[in-house]
Amino acid sequence: MADEAPPSPVSLSRPLRCIVKLGGSAVTHKDVLEHINDKDLAAVASQLREVIMHSTARGYTMDWSKQSGIPPTIPADIADQVLSSSAFIVVHGAGSFGHFQASRAGVHRGGLHLPLVTAGFVATRISVTALNLEIVRALAKEGIPSVGISPFSCGWSTCEKKIQCADISPVTHAIDSGLIPVMHGDAVLDSSQGCTILSGDIIIRHLAQLLRPQYVVFLTDVMGVYDRPPTDPNAILLREIAAVNEDGSWCVVNPRLQDIDCQVEITVAPHDTTGGMTTKISEAAMIAKLGIDVYIVKAGTTHSVKALRGELNDLPGDWLGTAIRPSNKST
């Protein structure tokens, strides 16, 4: 299969600093159909501006669209500013967008010859691209030069749910041009079953294999990975996980819990077609095997700012989150 062996890295004109996974549950109300959490999305966009942008133009909105009947206002002195940013990629999940449509129609199971699946495929793409536009808009309002890039539109496809074809040239051209690509989980064609859902977590692993960022950050709605559902009052935050084997298997190294045998109890919403936290940990471990540190942390917190800045080499004791690293780098 196309993704059984890591593909050869691709050269960029400027090094990729970070790939950010913006969890759908962190920016949407996941149990309410197509409902954005505006407050949390605004907080994430503001933090990303602080980390990505380092120029005098970062205070200017780049959303010049007409909204709520108000004509766009273009800053008079923007032409005199210099735009400069770090190389980042943002990949977001679907949250309350797309999962409902995909689940009800069984898009992840394939079968485009069935009218229900075809309709669900179309409805899923309408939903996830609508969310992509809103996230791009939120980032652009903060002065981040963001551009939405959909996997399906770029010809990404799978075979038996594994990536078979993935043209990343739109991503690399955007980065080399000083833009911030914003990708998303998507409904894609699958040569073995007709169609499936390609999760944002799998997209990130593929991009990390090709573009080798300095680090990867997963922004979620909880502090990190726990030994059981975080709603359990006895749940313990797993501060550090080591990627052990080439197959992406992993084990907990901090805290060293006697009753954990590399297993974490995970709950997945019934409409989630991408595997939830289980997929996230597995994909993060595969990225860590490449020598890339991965951080899972709650969005919009001081802890997420440290992760986004890449300030966690020594994993300070007051930081709350989960670091996933190669076994030879773990403490």
Side-chain angles (χ1 to χ4, degrees):
M1 302 308 301
D3 69 343
E4 289 180 351
S8 300
V10 174
S11 297
L12 293 167
S13 63
R14 54 183 190 143
L16 179 61
R17 182 173 169 190
C18 178
I19 300 178
V20 179
K21 168 62 189 299
L22 183 51
S25 59
V27 293
T28 74
H29 296 285
K30 201 164 184 179
D31 295 327
V32 183
L33 179 63
E34 296 188 344
H35 196 281
I36 294 175
N37 188 327
D38 294 313
K39 179 180 178 181
D40 288 353
L41 176 55
V44 168
S46 177
Q47 287 190 347
L48 286 173
R49 180 203 67 215
E50 293 178 15
V51 175
I52 294 175
M53 305 304 298
H54 38 82
S55 71
T56 57
R58 62 183 175 182
Y60 291 125
T61 179
M62 295 185 181
D63 182 7
W64 296 353
S65 58
K66 180 180 179 181
Q67 298 184 64
S68 304
I70 301 175
T73 299
I74 300 175
D77 60 343
I78 193 171
D80 299 325
Q81 307 303 318
V82 176
L83 188 68
S84 179
S85 64
S86 297
F88 271 63
I89 297 174
V90 176
V91 181
H92 65 83
S96 60
F97 290 71
H99 282 305
F100 285 101
Q101 293 88 344
S103 177
R104 290 173 181 173
V107 175
H108 56 296
R109 294 191 295 269
L112 275 178
H113 61 286
L114 302 172
L116 175 62
V117 176
T118 298
F121 187 94
V122 172
T124 298
R125 294 217 67 255
I126 290 173
S127 188
V128 295
T129 53
L131 176 60
N132 181 254
L133 174 59
E134 293 308 312
I135 290 178
V136 168
R137 174 169 282 159
L139 298 178
K141 284 180 178 178
E142 290 290 339
I144 301 173
S146 312
V147 288
I149 297 178
S150 294
F152 176 85
S153 301
C154 292
W156 287 48
S157 63
T158 60
C159 179
E160 297 179 354
K161 299 186 178 182
K162 297 180 180 180
I163 291 178
Q164 181 179 51
C165 179
D167 182 6
I168 68 164
S169 60
V171 176
T172 58
H173 291 163
I175 293 171
D176 288 341
S177 299
L179 299 170
I180 306 298
V182 183
M183 301 187 73
H184 58 88
D186 206 356
V188 297
L189 301 180
D190 185 282
S191 61
S192 65
Q193 63 177 40
C195 63
T196 193
I197 299 298
L198 180 63
S199 77
D201 299 330
I202 292 176
I203 291 170
I204 286 180
R205 194 237 294 186
H206 191 74
L207 291 174
Q209 289 174 333
L210 289 169
L211 302 178
R212 302 300 170 98
Q214 296 174 25
Y215 51 96
V216 172
V217 178
F218 287 79
L219 298 177
T220 72
D221 61 337
V222 293
M223 285 299 183
V225 179
Y226 291 80
D227 67 329
R228 65 199 73 186
T231 53
D232 188 321
N234 296 316
I236 297 173
L237 178 64
L238 309 180
R239 300 191 70 249
E240 189 170 2
I241 292 174
V244 180
N245 299 315
E246 293 299 328
D247 63 358
S249 60
W250 48 272
C251 70
V252 179
V253 297
N254 184 7
R256 297 186 182 277
L257 303 178
Q258 299 300 320
D259 58 344
I260 292 183
D261 182 22
C262 298
Q263 298 295 321
V264 174
E265 185 180 348
I266 298 295
T267 57
V268 178
H271 58 269
D272 193 335
T273 58
T274 59
M277 187 64 78
T278 303
T279 300
K280 192 183 308 298
I281 299 171
S282 298
E283 296 301 325
M286 292 296 289
I287 294 169
K289 288 301 299 181
L290 301 171
I292 301 168
D293 286 349
V294 180
Y295 305 105
I296 301 177
V297 61
K298 187 172 183 177
T301 64
T302 57
H303 309 290
S304 61
V305 172
K306 289 182 179 179
L308 290 169
R309 291 190 183 280
E311 298 175 346
L312 297 173
N313 287 334
D314 297 326
L315 206 62
D318 62 348
W319 183 74
L320 295 180
T322 300
I324 302 178
R325 293 169 163 168
S327 56
N328 61 356
K329 291 181 66 177
S330 299
T331 56

